[in-house]
Amino acid sequence: MPEPFKVLVVASECAPFAKTGGLGDVIGALPKALARRGIDVRVVLPLYAGMPWHELEVLDGALVVPMWFGVARGGIRLGRLPRSEVPVYFLEHHR
């Protein structure tokens, strides 16, 4: 049996966590629909101020991004899309 298709959705918004327009609605719904079809889908979002930081699992390790001034370091927190098992990885950077 072949491995399930894998999809990584990277976006700036996803309902209900952050939404300013239609993109947030699509990113909040499409991954759940894909998961119901047996696709291994995950979402990556920035961790914005005002999000429920304390409700998200802090993952081990650090995110290191090369920048013009050196490196920027951040963390990763894990949540789920409501009413689903779709993981959402929140990129945490306090700068």
Side-chain angles (χ1 to χ4, degrees):
M1 182 168 189
E3 286 190 43
F5 193 64
K6 297 179 181 183
V7 175
L8 180 64
V9 178
V10 181
S12 59
E13 57 185 87
C14 174
F17 304 109
K19 178 181 164 345
T20 60
L23 176 65
D25 292 324
V26 171
I27 303 303
L30 180 60
K32 289 191 246 184
L34 293 173
R36 285 192 296 270
R37 298 202 59 166
I39 295 171
D40 179 0
V41 61
R42 294 149 195 260
V43 178
V44 176
L45 293 175
L47 182 57
Y48 296 115
M51 287 183 167
W53 292 44
H54 62 284
E55 296 175 13
L56 303 172
E57 177 186 349
V58 177
L59 299 181
D60 290 336
L63 180 64
V64 179
V65 180
M67 303 291 284
W68 63 271
F69 57 80
V71 294
R73 296 184 187 281
I76 303 172
R77 293 181 184 241
L78 176 63
R80 303 257 178 224
L81 281 177
R83 296 176 303 284
S84 80
E85 291 300 313
V86 175
V88 180
Y89 298 97
F90 294 90
L91 305 182
E92 178 181 0
H93 182 64
H94 295 286
R95 217 172 158 180

